[in-house]
Amino acid sequence: MTVMEQRGAYRPTPPPAWQPRTDPAPLLPDAEPYRVLGTDAAAKADPELLRRLYTELVKGRRYNAQATALTKQGRLAVYPSSTGQEACEVAAALVLAEQDWLFPSYRDTLAVVARGVDPVEALTLLRGDWHTGYDPREHRVAPLSTPLATQLPHAVGLAHAARLKGDDVVALAMVGDGGTSEGDFHEALNFAAVWQAPVVFLVQNNGFAISVPLAKQTAAPSLAHKAVGYGMPGRLVDGNDAAAVHEVLADAVRRARAGGGPTLVEAITYRVEAHTNADDATRYRVDAEVETWKRHDPIALLEQELTARGVLDEAAVESARQDAETLAASLRARMNQDPALDPMDLFAHVYAEPTPQLLEQREQLRAELAAGAAPEGAQ
Ligand SMILES: Cc1ncc(C[n+]2csc(CCOP(=O)(O)OP(=O)(O)O)c2C)c(N)n1
Protein backbone atom coordinates (compact mmCIF):
# COMPACT_ATOMS: atom_id res chain seq x y z
CA MET A 1 0.00 0.00 0.00
CA THR A 2 1.39 3.35 -0.99
CA VAL A 3 1.58 6.30 1.36
CA MET A 4 -1.10 8.04 -0.69
CA GLU A 5 -3.43 5.05 -0.37
CA GLN A 6 -2.89 4.99 3.42
CA ARG A 7 -3.93 8.64 3.53
CA GLY A 8 -7.22 7.76 1.82
CA ALA A 9 -9.21 10.67 0.52
CA TYR A 10 -7.07 13.31 2.31
CA ARG A 11 -6.16 16.24 0.01
CA PRO A 12 -4.21 19.21 1.39
CA THR A 13 -5.78 22.62 0.83
CA PRO A 14 -3.96 24.11 -2.17
CA PRO A 15 -1.76 27.10 -1.29
CA PRO A 16 -2.91 30.57 -2.36
CA ALA A 17 -2.06 31.23 -5.99
CA TRP A 18 1.53 32.42 -6.47
CA GLN A 19 3.17 34.17 -9.33
CA PRO A 20 6.30 36.32 -9.57
CA ARG A 21 5.55 39.90 -8.52
CA THR A 22 7.24 41.17 -11.65
CA ASP A 23 8.36 39.31 -14.75
CA PRO A 24 12.13 38.90 -14.28
CA ALA A 25 12.88 38.38 -17.98
CA PRO A 26 12.95 42.07 -19.05
CA LEU A 27 15.20 42.89 -16.08
CA LEU A 28 17.96 40.48 -17.11
CA PRO A 29 21.11 41.90 -18.69
CA ASP A 30 22.13 40.91 -22.21
CA ALA A 31 24.47 37.94 -22.54
CA GLU A 32 27.24 40.18 -23.93
CA PRO A 33 28.31 43.70 -22.96
CA TYR A 34 26.69 46.21 -25.33
CA ARG A 35 29.05 47.75 -27.90
CA VAL A 36 28.73 50.55 -30.42
CA LEU A 37 32.22 51.32 -31.75
CA GLY A 38 33.21 48.99 -34.55
CA THR A 39 29.62 47.71 -34.94
CA ASP A 40 26.67 48.71 -37.17
CA ALA A 41 25.27 50.77 -34.26
CA ALA A 42 28.14 53.26 -34.67
CA ALA A 43 26.58 54.71 -37.83
CA LYS A 44 23.63 55.98 -35.74
CA ALA A 45 25.78 57.71 -33.12
CA ASP A 46 25.80 61.52 -33.20
CA PRO A 47 29.19 62.67 -34.59
CA GLU A 48 29.12 65.85 -32.48
CA LEU A 49 28.68 63.83 -29.30
CA LEU A 50 31.46 61.42 -30.30
CA ARG A 51 33.82 64.32 -30.99
CA ARG A 52 33.03 65.85 -27.60
CA LEU A 53 33.57 62.50 -25.88
CA TYR A 54 36.90 62.18 -27.68
CA THR A 55 38.18 65.59 -26.57
CA GLU A 56 37.17 64.89 -22.96
CA LEU A 57 38.81 61.44 -23.02
CA VAL A 58 42.11 62.91 -24.22
CA LYS A 59 41.94 65.67 -21.60
CA GLY A 60 41.01 63.11 -18.93
CA ARG A 61 43.98 60.87 -19.64
CA ARG A 62 46.34 63.85 -19.47
CA TYR A 63 44.73 64.97 -16.21
CA ASN A 64 45.31 61.49 -14.71
CA ALA A 65 48.96 61.54 -15.78
CA GLN A 66 49.47 65.03 -14.38
CA ALA A 67 47.78 64.25 -11.07
CA THR A 68 49.90 61.09 -10.69
CA ALA A 69 53.04 63.15 -11.38
CA LEU A 70 51.94 65.63 -8.70
CA THR A 71 51.89 62.82 -6.10
CA LYS A 72 55.56 62.13 -6.90
CA GLN A 73 56.38 65.78 -6.35
CA GLY A 74 54.60 65.77 -2.98
CA ARG A 75 51.98 68.21 -4.25
CA LEU A 76 49.18 65.66 -3.92
CA ALA A 77 48.87 63.18 -1.05
CA VAL A 78 47.24 60.39 -3.02
CA TYR A 79 45.69 59.87 -6.45
CA PRO A 80 43.52 56.97 -7.58
CA SER A 81 43.98 57.10 -11.35
CA SER A 82 41.15 56.21 -13.74
CA THR A 83 43.44 55.65 -16.72
CA GLY A 84 41.75 53.01 -18.89
CA GLN A 85 38.36 53.91 -17.41
CA GLU A 86 38.02 57.36 -19.00
CA ALA A 87 35.05 56.33 -21.17
CA CYS A 88 32.93 55.63 -18.07
CA GLU A 89 34.08 58.81 -16.36
CA VAL A 90 33.36 61.12 -19.26
CA ALA A 91 30.10 59.50 -20.37
CA ALA A 92 28.73 59.67 -16.81
CA ALA A 93 29.36 63.42 -16.68
CA LEU A 94 28.11 64.26 -20.18
CA VAL A 95 24.92 62.26 -19.96
CA LEU A 96 23.43 64.37 -17.17
CA ALA A 97 21.28 67.48 -17.55
CA GLU A 98 22.26 70.62 -15.68
CA GLN A 99 19.82 70.07 -12.81
CA ASP A 100 20.84 66.43 -12.25
CA TRP A 101 23.24 65.21 -9.55
CA LEU A 102 26.43 63.16 -9.79
CA PHE A 103 27.54 61.02 -6.81
CA PRO A 104 31.17 60.03 -7.39
CA SER A 105 33.63 57.78 -5.56
CA TYR A 106 37.28 58.68 -4.91
CA ARG A 107 38.27 57.31 -8.36
CA ASP A 108 35.92 59.60 -10.26
CA THR A 109 37.78 62.92 -10.35
CA LEU A 110 37.57 62.94 -14.16
CA ALA A 111 33.78 62.73 -14.09
CA VAL A 112 33.72 65.55 -11.54
CA VAL A 113 35.94 67.76 -13.71
CA ALA A 114 34.04 66.89 -16.91
CA ARG A 115 30.86 68.00 -15.09
CA GLY A 116 32.41 71.45 -14.62
CA VAL A 117 34.07 71.42 -11.19
CA ASP A 118 37.33 73.40 -11.09
CA PRO A 119 40.19 70.93 -11.83
CA VAL A 120 42.19 72.10 -8.79
CA GLU A 121 39.22 72.17 -6.42
CA ALA A 122 38.45 68.59 -7.49
CA LEU A 123 41.85 67.58 -6.05
CA THR A 124 41.67 69.53 -2.80
CA LEU A 125 40.41 66.57 -0.79
CA LEU A 126 43.11 64.28 -2.20
CA ARG A 127 45.66 66.94 -1.33
CA GLY A 128 44.40 66.88 2.24
CA ASP A 129 43.69 70.60 2.24
CA TRP A 130 40.06 71.22 2.83
CA HIS A 131 37.01 69.01 3.38
CA THR A 132 35.21 68.30 0.10
CA GLY A 133 37.24 70.83 -1.85
CA TYR A 134 34.35 72.25 -3.85
CA ASP A 135 30.82 73.44 -3.32
CA PRO A 136 28.63 70.41 -4.13
CA ARG A 137 25.65 72.62 -4.98
CA GLU A 138 27.42 74.67 -7.64
CA HIS A 139 27.61 71.88 -10.20
CA ARG A 140 25.40 69.40 -8.39
CA VAL A 141 28.28 67.05 -7.66
CA ALA A 142 28.35 65.30 -4.28
CA PRO A 143 31.71 64.98 -2.49
CA LEU A 144 34.16 62.35 -3.78
CA SER A 145 33.29 59.51 -1.42
CA THR A 146 36.13 57.54 0.17
CA PRO A 147 34.02 55.20 2.36
CA LEU A 148 32.93 52.62 -0.22
CA ALA A 149 29.34 52.79 -1.49
CA THR A 150 28.17 55.35 1.07
CA GLN A 151 27.41 57.71 -1.83
CA LEU A 152 24.72 55.31 -3.07
CA PRO A 153 22.10 55.74 -0.31
CA HIS A 154 22.77 59.49 -0.49
CA ALA A 155 21.97 59.44 -4.21
CA VAL A 156 18.77 57.50 -3.59
CA GLY A 157 17.71 59.87 -0.82
CA LEU A 158 18.32 62.94 -2.94
CA ALA A 159 16.54 61.48 -5.96
CA HIS A 160 13.57 60.27 -3.93
CA ALA A 161 13.25 63.64 -2.18
CA ALA A 162 13.38 65.47 -5.52
CA ARG A 163 10.62 63.25 -6.85
CA LEU A 164 8.44 63.89 -3.79
CA LYS A 165 8.94 67.62 -4.32
CA GLY A 166 8.11 67.31 -8.02
CA ASP A 167 11.60 68.42 -9.13
CA ASP A 168 12.92 67.09 -12.42
CA VAL A 169 16.17 65.59 -11.07
CA VAL A 170 18.00 62.34 -11.82
CA ALA A 171 20.90 61.14 -9.66
CA LEU A 172 23.74 59.12 -11.19
CA ALA A 173 25.83 57.26 -8.62
CA MET A 174 29.20 55.69 -9.41
CA VAL A 175 30.71 52.72 -7.55
CA GLY A 176 33.44 50.14 -8.08
CA ASP A 177 33.05 46.35 -8.31
CA GLY A 178 34.33 46.01 -4.73
CA GLY A 179 31.76 48.52 -3.52
CA THR A 180 28.96 46.17 -4.63
CA SER A 181 29.81 43.90 -1.67
CA GLU A 182 28.99 46.65 0.82
CA GLY A 183 25.74 46.77 2.79
CA ASP A 184 25.19 50.31 1.55
CA PHE A 185 24.98 48.98 -2.03
CA HIS A 186 22.21 46.57 -1.02
CA GLU A 187 20.27 49.16 0.97
CA ALA A 188 20.53 51.75 -1.77
CA LEU A 189 19.39 49.46 -4.58
CA ASN A 190 16.61 47.98 -2.51
CA PHE A 191 15.10 51.33 -1.57
CA ALA A 192 15.67 52.80 -5.02
CA ALA A 193 13.58 50.01 -6.53
CA VAL A 194 10.88 50.03 -3.84
CA TRP A 195 10.48 53.79 -4.20
CA GLN A 196 11.05 53.78 -7.98
CA ALA A 197 13.54 56.58 -7.37
CA PRO A 198 15.06 58.34 -10.40
CA VAL A 199 18.58 56.93 -9.91
CA VAL A 200 21.12 55.34 -12.21
CA PHE A 201 23.79 53.16 -10.60
CA LEU A 202 26.98 52.89 -12.64
CA VAL A 203 29.29 50.08 -11.50
CA GLN A 204 32.72 50.38 -13.02
CA ASN A 205 33.91 46.79 -12.95
CA ASN A 206 37.63 47.39 -13.36
CA GLY A 207 38.58 43.87 -12.31
CA PHE A 208 39.96 44.58 -8.84
CA ALA A 209 39.17 45.95 -5.41
CA ILE A 210 42.77 46.94 -4.64
CA SER A 211 44.35 43.44 -4.86
CA VAL A 212 41.11 41.42 -4.70
CA PRO A 213 39.97 40.14 -8.12
CA LEU A 214 36.26 39.98 -8.90
CA ALA A 215 36.20 36.16 -8.65
CA LYS A 216 37.03 36.44 -4.92
CA GLN A 217 34.39 39.15 -4.49
CA THR A 218 31.25 37.53 -5.88
CA ALA A 219 29.88 34.33 -7.42
CA ALA A 220 27.14 36.23 -9.31
CA PRO A 221 26.98 35.60 -13.10
CA SER A 222 27.67 39.32 -13.51
CA LEU A 223 27.24 42.37 -11.30
CA ALA A 224 24.43 43.52 -13.61
CA HIS A 225 22.49 40.35 -12.68
CA LYS A 226 22.25 41.65 -9.10
CA ALA A 227 19.70 44.17 -10.38
CA VAL A 228 17.10 41.44 -10.92
CA GLY A 229 17.00 40.58 -7.21
CA TYR A 230 16.04 44.16 -6.44
CA GLY A 231 13.45 44.42 -9.22
CA MET A 232 15.27 46.82 -11.53
CA PRO A 233 16.81 46.28 -14.97
CA GLY A 234 20.50 45.38 -15.18
CA ARG A 235 22.50 46.43 -18.23
CA LEU A 236 25.95 45.25 -19.28
CA VAL A 237 28.11 47.54 -21.36
CA ASP A 238 31.65 47.62 -22.69
CA GLY A 239 33.09 50.23 -20.35
CA ASN A 240 35.88 51.17 -22.78
CA ASP A 241 33.43 52.03 -25.55
CA ALA A 242 32.51 55.65 -24.79
CA ALA A 243 29.65 55.69 -27.30
CA ALA A 244 28.11 52.54 -25.80
CA VAL A 245 28.46 53.72 -22.20
CA HIS A 246 26.90 57.06 -23.11
CA GLU A 247 23.99 55.39 -24.93
CA VAL A 248 23.23 52.91 -22.14
CA LEU A 249 23.43 55.61 -19.47
CA ALA A 250 21.31 57.97 -21.58
CA ASP A 251 18.58 55.29 -21.85
CA ALA A 252 18.71 54.75 -18.08
CA VAL A 253 18.59 58.50 -17.34
CA ARG A 254 15.63 58.94 -19.73
CA ARG A 255 13.81 56.06 -18.07
CA ALA A 256 14.46 57.45 -14.58
CA ARG A 257 13.33 60.94 -15.63
CA ALA A 258 10.11 59.56 -17.07
CA GLY A 259 9.23 57.88 -13.75
CA GLY A 260 10.37 54.39 -14.84
CA GLY A 261 12.61 53.89 -11.79
CA PRO A 262 16.25 52.94 -11.28
CA THR A 263 18.67 50.98 -13.47
CA LEU A 264 21.91 49.20 -12.61
CA VAL A 265 24.56 49.50 -15.31
CA GLU A 266 27.70 47.37 -15.12
CA ALA A 267 30.52 48.70 -17.30
CA ILE A 268 33.26 46.18 -18.02
CA THR A 269 36.56 48.01 -17.95
CA TYR A 270 40.05 47.73 -16.49
CA ARG A 271 42.17 49.71 -14.08
CA VAL A 272 45.35 50.07 -16.12
CA GLU A 273 47.38 51.67 -13.32
CA ALA A 274 47.82 50.65 -9.70
CA HIS A 275 45.00 51.22 -7.18
CA THR A 276 46.70 54.48 -6.15
CA ASN A 277 50.25 55.81 -6.27
CA ALA A 278 50.74 53.98 -2.94
CA ASP A 279 50.00 50.54 -4.43
CA ASP A 280 52.23 48.07 -6.32
CA ALA A 281 49.93 46.23 -8.75
CA THR A 282 52.69 43.86 -9.93
CA ARG A 283 52.25 41.97 -6.64
CA TYR A 284 48.81 40.66 -7.61
CA ARG A 285 48.43 40.73 -11.40
CA VAL A 286 50.50 39.88 -14.47
CA ASP A 287 51.70 42.38 -17.08
CA ALA A 288 50.21 40.29 -19.92
CA GLU A 289 46.70 41.01 -18.61
CA VAL A 290 47.38 44.75 -18.48
CA GLU A 291 48.78 44.65 -22.03
CA THR A 292 45.67 42.85 -23.32
CA TRP A 293 43.46 45.60 -21.92
CA LYS A 294 45.71 48.33 -23.28
CA ARG A 295 44.91 46.97 -26.75
CA HIS A 296 41.22 47.70 -26.01
CA ASP A 297 41.96 51.31 -25.15
CA PRO A 298 38.99 53.72 -24.91
CA ILE A 299 40.77 56.59 -26.69
CA ALA A 300 42.18 54.42 -29.52
CA LEU A 301 38.75 52.78 -30.04
CA LEU A 302 37.00 56.11 -30.47
CA GLU A 303 39.81 57.61 -32.53
CA GLN A 304 39.65 54.70 -35.00
CA GLU A 305 35.90 55.06 -35.39
CA LEU A 306 36.00 58.83 -35.85
CA THR A 307 38.91 58.71 -38.27
CA ALA A 308 37.22 56.00 -40.34
CA ARG A 309 34.08 58.14 -40.56
CA GLY A 310 36.07 61.22 -41.51
CA VAL A 311 34.84 63.04 -38.40
CA LEU A 312 38.33 63.44 -36.98
CA ASP A 313 41.37 64.58 -38.93
CA GLU A 314 44.93 65.18 -37.79
CA ALA A 315 44.22 68.80 -36.96
CA ALA A 316 41.34 67.81 -34.65
CA VAL A 317 43.51 65.19 -32.91
CA GLU A 318 46.24 67.80 -32.44
CA SER A 319 43.75 70.33 -31.12
CA ALA A 320 42.46 67.82 -28.50
CA ARG A 321 46.09 67.20 -27.45
CA GLN A 322 46.71 70.92 -27.15
CA ASP A 323 43.61 71.35 -24.96
CA ALA A 324 44.91 68.52 -22.77
CA GLU A 325 48.37 70.12 -22.48
CA THR A 326 46.83 73.47 -21.55
CA LEU A 327 44.78 71.77 -18.83
CA ALA A 328 47.84 69.93 -17.48
CA ALA A 329 50.01 73.08 -17.51
CA SER A 330 47.39 75.04 -15.61
CA LEU A 331 46.96 72.18 -13.11
CA ARG A 332 50.74 72.04 -12.57
CA ALA A 333 51.08 75.78 -12.09
CA ARG A 334 48.14 76.08 -9.72
CA MET A 335 49.00 72.98 -7.69
CA ASN A 336 52.56 74.24 -7.28
CA GLN A 337 51.33 77.28 -5.40
CA ASP A 338 51.21 76.83 -1.65
CA PRO A 339 47.60 77.39 -0.64
CA ALA A 340 46.88 79.70 2.29
CA LEU A 341 45.15 77.38 4.73
CA ASP A 342 43.56 78.15 8.06
CA PRO A 343 44.04 75.10 10.34
CA MET A 344 40.91 76.17 12.24
CA ASP A 345 38.87 75.25 9.15
CA LEU A 346 39.27 71.67 10.28
CA PHE A 347 36.35 72.28 12.61
CA ALA A 348 34.16 74.25 10.22
CA HIS A 349 31.17 72.65 8.50
CA VAL A 350 31.40 69.42 10.51
CA TYR A 351 28.07 69.82 12.27
CA ALA A 352 25.53 72.65 12.11
CA GLU A 353 25.77 72.64 15.94
CA PRO A 354 29.34 71.72 16.99
CA THR A 355 29.60 69.05 19.69
CA PRO A 356 31.23 69.93 23.06
CA GLN A 357 34.19 67.69 22.12
CA LEU A 358 34.75 69.56 18.86
CA LEU A 359 34.55 72.91 20.62
CA GLU A 360 37.10 71.73 23.18
CA GLN A 361 39.47 70.49 20.48
CA ARG A 362 39.02 73.70 18.52
CA GLU A 363 39.97 75.77 21.57
CA GLN A 364 42.99 73.56 22.21
CA LEU A 365 44.23 74.10 18.63
CA ARG A 366 43.51 77.82 18.81
CA ALA A 367 45.57 78.10 22.02
CA GLU A 368 48.46 76.12 20.53
CA LEU A 369 48.48 78.24 17.38
CA ALA A 370 48.35 81.42 19.44
CA ALA A 371 51.31 80.21 21.52
CA GLY A 372 53.20 79.67 18.25
CA ALA A 373 53.70 76.00 19.04
CA ALA A 374 53.24 73.13 16.62
CA PRO A 375 49.94 71.37 17.39
CA GLU A 376 50.28 68.55 19.91
CA GLY A 377 51.48 65.36 18.20
CA ALA A 378 52.91 67.23 15.20
CA GLN A 379 56.59 66.77 14.40
C1 LIG B 1 33.72 51.12 3.83
C2 LIG B 1 35.13 50.97 3.34
N1 LIG B 1 35.78 49.82 3.53
C3 LIG B 1 37.04 49.66 3.09
C4 LIG B 1 37.69 50.69 2.45
C5 LIG B 1 39.13 50.52 1.99
N2 LIG B 1 39.18 50.48 0.52
C6 LIG B 1 39.51 51.59 -0.18
S1 LIG B 1 39.45 51.32 -1.81
C7 LIG B 1 38.99 49.72 -1.63
C8 LIG B 1 38.74 48.85 -2.84
C9 LIG B 1 37.55 49.29 -3.60
O1 LIG B 1 37.48 48.65 -4.82
P1 LIG B 1 36.35 48.97 -5.88
O2 LIG B 1 35.05 49.23 -5.21
O3 LIG B 1 36.37 47.89 -6.88
O4 LIG B 1 36.78 50.35 -6.52
P2 LIG B 1 38.09 50.77 -7.32
O5 LIG B 1 39.09 51.23 -6.29
O6 LIG B 1 38.57 49.59 -8.10
O7 LIG B 1 37.67 51.90 -8.18
C10 LIG B 1 38.90 49.39 -0.27
C11 LIG B 1 38.54 48.05 0.25
C12 LIG B 1 36.97 51.90 2.29
N3 LIG B 1 37.50 52.96 1.65
N4 LIG B 1 35.70 52.02 2.71
Side-chain angles (χ1 to χ4, degrees), residues 19-357:
Q19 57 184 35
R21 297 173 57 235
T22 45
D23 178 5
L27 307 180
L28 279 166
D30 294 339
E32 285 278 317
Y34 179 66
R35 295 194 173 89
V36 169
L37 300 176
T39 76
D40 292 345
K44 280 184 268 154
D46 170 15
E48 260 322 298
L49 171 68
L50 296 188
R51 217 196 320 243
R52 173 95 201 277
L53 285 167
Y54 177 78
T55 309
E56 292 300 324
L57 292 187
V58 173
K59 277 164 58 183
R61 178 151 306 173
R62 187 66 188 87
Y63 185 95
N64 272 333
Q66 187 57 62
T68 301
L70 286 164
T71 62
K72 297 188 175 136
Q73 294 156 15
R75 285 293 178 186
L76 198 53
V78 66
Y79 188 69
S81 166
S82 57
T83 293
Q85 302 177 219
E86 297 94 338
C88 295
E89 296 289 315
V90 167
L94 297 197
V95 83
L96 294 177
E98 207 182 327
Q99 73 276 16
D100 295 336
W101 273 78
L102 182 72
F103 285 78
S105 84
Y106 51 86
R107 195 170 300 287
D108 304 318
T109 321
L110 290 194
V112 168
V113 173
R115 176 100 174 120
V117 170
D118 179 290
V120 168
E121 287 185 11
L123 291 176
T124 314
L125 172 84
L126 298 169
R127 197 184 199 184
D129 282 353
W130 203 81
H131 298 293
T132 299
Y134 51 87
D135 175 1
R137 287 191 181 83
E138 192 182 346
H139 296 281
R140 287 144 314 279
V141 177
L144 292 160
S145 173
T146 303
L148 300 179
T150 54
Q151 66 277 22
L152 308 181
H154 297 168
V156 176
L158 181 132
H160 182 55
R163 190 151 171 256
L164 292 180
K165 291 197 302 187
D167 295 346
D168 170 25
V169 170
V170 172
L172 191 155
M174 304 172 79
V175 67
D177 42 285
T180 65
S181 297
E182 291 288 334
D184 278 340
F185 175 84
H186 160 70
E187 284 142 23
L189 270 77
N190 192 51
F191 274 112
V194 170
W195 291 334
Q196 289 290 285
V199 191
V200 178
F201 300 98
L202 170 60
V203 179
Q204 289 186 70
N205 175 1
N206 65 7
F208 292 90
I210 314 185
S211 57
V212 178
L214 190 67
K216 289 193 179 168
Q217 186 83 236
T218 181
S222 78
L223 297 171
H225 276 84
K226 294 194 174 202
V228 184
Y230 296 105
M232 70 176 79
R235 302 282 315 267
L236 257 178
V237 63
D238 179 339
N240 288 15
D241 178 334
V245 182
H246 190 279
E247 188 183 322
V248 168
L249 290 179
D251 282 350
V253 167
R254 217 175 293 122
R255 199 171 157 272
R257 204 181 296 292
T263 304
L264 173 64
V265 176
E266 177 186 1
I268 310 294
T269 181
Y270 194 78
R271 194 195 73 216
V272 167
E273 289 179 2
H275 174 69
T276 68
N277 50 299
D279 171 44
D280 176 4
T282 61
R283 294 180 62 185
Y284 54 83
R285 65 183 191 187
V286 292
D287 288 348
E289 182 180 283
V290 182
E291 291 311 313
T292 306
W293 275 95
K294 280 186 174 171
R295 288 194 287 277
H296 190 58
D297 178 68
I299 297 183
L301 273 177
L302 191 51
E303 198 169 295
Q304 282 155 12
E305 178 74 41
L306 289 174
T307 310
R309 280 172 65 176
V311 176
L312 200 70
D313 56 13
E314 249 174 55
V317 172
E318 190 45 39
S319 150
R321 284 197 192 127
Q322 280 305 325
D323 285 357
E325 285 310 320
T326 308
L327 173 70
S330 148
L331 194 61
R332 262 195 319 271
R334 292 177 62 203
M335 291 291 285
N336 278 329
Q337 285 161 13
D338 284 322
L341 296 175
D342 179 359
M344 300 305 294
D345 268 355
L346 192 61
F347 300 98
H349 314 298
V350 180
Y351 294 110
E353 297 286 334
T355 61
Q357 290 83 353

